[in-house]
C-alpha cells in the first residue's frame, strides 16, 4: 500500500511515469531489511486506473509491429510517421529466426473503456489481443505513458522510432 500511495502522490504532484514494458503493476510486494515478500495481485481495476491497461491474453501472432493511431501527439515528434504507418518491426527480445517479429505481443496489455483519460497512441497489428501504447495527460501537468508490451525495451536498440519515442519521453522540454 505504501508503494501505491507514493505513486498516487507523485502523479498528483505533476509526476511523469513511463511504463516501458508490459504487465505493469501486477504483484503487490512488501519488503523489510531481510527480504522481499509477495503479498498478492494488484486488482485489475487498480491496474486500469494506474496504467490504463490490463493484460488481455496471448497475442496472435505472438509478435507484430505497432500501427500509429494518433500521429499528431508530441510523442511521435521527429519520426515523420503518418496515421496508419507501422513501426516496431524488431526487438532484441526475440529469436531473430522466428517467423514472427515485432514489438506488440508477448505480454499484450490493452486499454479499456473504463481507464479514464488514457488515449491509444498506437496499436499492435496482431489479429488477436494486440498491445496498446497508451498515454494520459494528468490535470496536474504530468503524464503516464504505457508501452503495453514487454518487447518495447528490446526495441530501443533495434528500432529508430521506438528510440525516438523514448527520447521524446525523456526530453524535459516536452509537455
Amino acid at each position: 500500500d505504501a508503494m501505491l500511495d507514493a505513486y498516487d502522490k507523485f502523479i498528483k504532484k505533476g509526476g511523469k511515469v513511463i511504463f516501458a514494458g508490459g504487465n505493469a503493476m501486477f504483484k503487490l510486494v512488501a519488503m523489510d531489511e531481510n527480504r522481499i515478500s509477495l503479498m498478492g495481485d494488484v486488482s485489475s481495476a487498480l491496474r486500469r486506473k494506474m496504467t490504463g491497461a490490463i493484460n488481455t491474453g496471448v497475442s496472435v501472432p505472438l509478435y507484430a509491429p505497432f500501427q500509429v493511431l494518433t500521429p499528431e501527439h508530441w510523442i511521435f515528434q521527429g519520426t515523420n510517421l503518418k496515421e496508419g504507418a507501422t513501426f516496431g518491426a524488431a526487438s532484441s527480445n526475440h529469436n531473430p529466426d522466428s517467423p514472427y517479429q515485432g514489438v506488440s505481443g508477448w505480454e499484450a496489455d490493452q486499454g479499456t473503456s473504463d481507464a479514464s483519460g488514457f488515449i491509444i497512441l498506437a496499436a499492435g497489428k496482431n489479429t488477436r489481443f494486440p498491445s496498446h501504447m497508451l498515454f494520459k495527460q494528468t490535470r496536474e501537468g504530468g503524464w503516464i505513458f504505457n508501452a503495453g508490451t514487454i518487447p518495447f525495451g528490446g526495441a530501443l536498440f533495434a528500432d529508430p522510432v521506438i528510440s525516438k519515442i523514448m527520447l521524446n519521453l525523456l526530453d524535459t522540454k516536452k509537455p
Side-chain angles (χ1 to χ4, degrees):
D1 287 341
M3 195 74 158
L4 297 175
D5 289 341
Y7 174 87
D8 198 44
K9 286 178 186 173
F10 180 72
I11 293 296
K12 287 180 178 169
K13 289 182 180 179
K16 299 173 181 179
V17 177
I18 299 171
F19 292 109
N23 219 359
M25 291 198 174
F26 188 65
K27 296 288 184 185
L28 292 170
V29 297
M31 57 186 205
D32 59 32
E33 62 277 355
N34 297 314
R35 63 185 254 182
I36 298 173
S37 303
L38 181 61
M39 305 304 291
D41 292 342
V42 175
S43 74
S44 61
L46 185 57
R47 282 198 307 266
R48 285 191 302 270
K49 176 185 175 227
M50 300 179 94
T51 71
I54 57 169
N55 181 277
T56 52
V58 177
S59 300
V60 176
L62 189 56
Y63 304 111
F66 271 114
Q67 182 173 31
V68 178
L69 301 178
T70 55
E72 68 281 358
H73 197 277
W74 62 262
I75 202 168
F76 292 117
Q77 284 181 348
T79 66
N80 297 315
L81 293 175
K82 308 282 186 240
E83 186 172 352
T86 59
F87 67 96
S91 173
S92 62
N93 291 80
H94 324 318
N95 176 344
D97 297 327
S98 169
Y100 302 110
Q101 295 293 320
V103 176
S104 173
W106 195 354
E107 291 282 349
D109 294 347
Q110 292 183 321
T112 60
S113 59
D114 61 344
S116 179
F118 282 89
I119 60 169
I120 303 173
L121 301 172
K125 299 267 306 169
N126 318 70
T127 55
R128 281 187 60 213
F129 304 121
S131 301
H132 288 166
M133 184 178 289
L134 303 168
F135 189 88
K136 178 180 181 175
Q137 187 74 45
T138 66
R139 289 184 305 245
E140 298 81 10
W143 46 256
I144 302 165
F145 169 81
N146 187 347
T149 182
I150 289 174
F152 183 86
L156 288 170
F157 314 105
D159 186 278
V161 172
I162 299 288
S163 285
K164 184 61 178 166
I165 287 170
M166 184 57 79
L167 290 171
N168 285 341
L169 288 166
L170 296 174
D171 186 344
T172 59
K173 296 179 213 87
K174 301 274 188 214

